[in-house]
């Protein structure tokens, strides 16, 4: 079973287990996270965002395979086996190309998703919540879910072409945007149970519409706003 699915199964069975993700491209942060995992004899989940790492290099200058190689080189130096280093993609979708048409941004997003999965990233956050140049603002839940399902199809195609563990998916977006909030945090709204349930139902329907009903059990997480936020100057504490 995929390691993250195993972890969730243990959690649902009553074990006090979980995992946090380290979303950074800074070598000092990454080395600290990997060293901590070795000291605790645990796995570590390391993620890259779509604006950090993409097919054009992102702001780090790295494509997905470059980021993976950097992580593995650090793990080798510290002595943590590769199978204990879990790679994830955060906010994968049109985020980096919001100034383009939806059609162009989604085509670029498909390449992004394909490359991440081909490089061995197995925890994939599908985030199509952002409006593109010719989109309404904000997007309705149905469009967001349909685009996420479309990218899930691409991820599955990449996994089947390259083998390895099956990807698992996270949906939803009610967290700080990549890099932190850029607007006032005064209007932050905690996700309601009804909003969470609605998001789940709409996405599940989109998965069925795109022939992904058998993939839905690998949707392991729903992103919500629990009442914590940050921007360049402030932190809204939980």
């Amino acid at each position: 079973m995929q390691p993250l699915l195993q972890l969730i199964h243990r959690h649902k069975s009553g074990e006090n287990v979980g995992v946090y993700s380290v979303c950074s491209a800074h070598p000092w942060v990454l080395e600290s996270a990997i060293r901590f995992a070795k000291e605790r004899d645990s796995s570590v989940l390391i993620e890259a965002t779509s604006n950090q790492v993409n097919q054009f290099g992102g702001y780090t200058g790295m494509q997905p395979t470059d980021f993976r190689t950097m992580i593995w080189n650090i793990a080798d130096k510290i002595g943590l086996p590769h199978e204990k280093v879990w790679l994830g993609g955060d906010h994968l979708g049109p985020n980096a190309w919001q100034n383009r048409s939806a059609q162009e941004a989604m085509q670029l997003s498909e390449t992004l998703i394909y490359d991440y999965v081909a490089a061995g990233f197995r925890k994939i956050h599908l985030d199509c919540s952002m409006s593109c140049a010719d989109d309404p603002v904000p997007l309705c839940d149905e469009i967001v879910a349909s685009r996420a399902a479309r990218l899930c199809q691409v991820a599955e195609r990449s996994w089947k072409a390259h083998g390895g563990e099956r990807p698992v998916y996270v949906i939803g977006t009610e967290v700080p945007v990549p890099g932190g909030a850029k607007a006032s945090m005064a209007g932050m709204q905690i996700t309601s149970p009804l909003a969470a349930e609605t998001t789940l139902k709409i996405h599940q329907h989109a998965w069925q519409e795109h022939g992904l009903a058998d993939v839905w059990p690998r949707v392991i997480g729903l992103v919500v706003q629990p009442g914590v936020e940050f921007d360049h100057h402030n932190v809204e504490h939980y």
Side-chain angles (χ1 to χ4, degrees), residues 2 4-5 8 47 89 92 113-114 116-117 121-127 148-160 165-172 200 203 207 212 214-223:
Q2 212 270 9
L4 275 169
L5 289 176
I8 289 172
E47 305 203 39
L92 299 189
I113 292 283
Y114 192 93
Y116 263 77
V117 175
F121 290 71
R122 285 298 178 266
K123 178 259 156 187
I124 303 296
H125 175 202
L126 300 168
D127 183 6
R150 172 179 165 183
L151 295 184
C152 185
Q153 287 178 317
V154 175
E156 289 293 296
R157 188 163 69 245
S158 181
W159 160 61
K160 289 174 183 176
E165 296 170 348
R166 299 176 298 168
V168 295
Y169 302 100
V170 171
I171 58 174
L200 273 174
H203 277 76
W207 257 241
L212 296 166
D214 61 325
V215 180
W216 182 253
R218 283 189 273 125
V219 176
I220 63 168
L222 169 66
V223 177

Side-chain angles (χ1 to χ4, degrees), residues 21-34:
S21 66
V22 178
C23 194
S24 176
H26 196 294
W28 292 356
V29 175
L30 298 173
E31 181 171 337
S32 296
I34 292 171

Side-chain angles (χ1 to χ4, degrees), residues 98-223:
Q98 295 178 56
N99 61 336
R100 310 201 186 194
S101 69
Q103 180 180 358
E104 186 178 4
M106 284 300 294
Q107 287 174 343
L108 291 167
S109 299
E110 289 186 358
T111 301
L112 173 79
I113 292 283
Y114 192 93
D115 289 354
Y116 263 77
V117 175
F121 290 71
R122 285 298 178 266
K123 178 259 156 187
I124 303 296
H125 175 202
L126 300 168
D127 183 6
C128 296
S129 62
M130 55 289 298
S131 296
C132 300
D134 55 352
D135 278 331
V137 180
L139 291 177
C140 68
D141 289 341
E142 286 76 12
I143 292 177
V144 172
S146 178
R147 289 179 181 178
R150 172 179 165 183
L151 295 184
C152 185
Q153 287 178 317
V154 175
E156 289 293 296
R157 188 163 69 245
S158 181
W159 160 61
K160 289 174 183 176
H162 295 90
E165 296 170 348
R166 299 176 298 168
V168 295
Y169 302 100
V170 171
I171 58 174
T173 187
E174 294 184 53
V175 289
V177 296
K182 298 176 178 61
S184 170
M185 298 190 294
M188 180 180 65
Q189 296 292 321
I190 294 175
T191 304
S192 69
L194 179 60
E197 184 179 10
T198 299
T199 298
L200 273 174
K201 287 181 177 178
I202 292 173
H203 277 76
Q204 186 171 13
H205 179 72
W207 257 241
Q208 292 170 344
E209 290 285 299
H210 286 75
L212 296 166
D214 61 325
V215 180
W216 182 253
R218 283 189 273 125
V219 176
I220 63 168
L222 169 66
V223 177

Side-chain angles (χ1 to χ4, degrees), residues 8-20:
I8 289 172
H9 177 73
R10 291 170 57 199
H11 176 76
K12 299 297 184 186
S13 298
E15 284 191 60
N16 187 21
V17 293
V19 66
Y20 58 87

Side-chain angles (χ1 to χ4, degrees), residues 12-90:
K12 299 297 184 186
S13 298
E15 284 191 60
N16 187 21
V17 293
V19 66
Y20 58 87
S21 66
V22 178
C23 194
S24 176
H26 196 294
W28 292 356
V29 175
L30 298 173
E31 181 171 337
S32 296
I34 292 171
R35 193 177 298 279
F36 186 63
K38 184 185 178 184
E39 290 173 358
R40 296 188 65 187
D41 191 26
S42 67
S43 298
V44 60
L45 173 58
I46 296 175
E47 305 203 39
T49 62
S50 53
N51 54 352
Q52 285 175 323
V53 176
N54 58 45
Q55 61 265 44
F56 303 109
Y59 68 69
T60 64
M62 288 185 284
Q63 296 180 9
T65 53
D66 301 321
F67 186 82
R68 177 203 65 199
T69 299
M70 177 183 69
I71 296 298
W72 283 355
N73 286 342
I74 296 173
D76 290 342
K77 181 178 75 171
I78 292 172
L80 186 68
H82 292 182
E83 58 267 22
K84 290 197 169 186
V85 180
W86 303 344
L87 296 176
D90 198 22

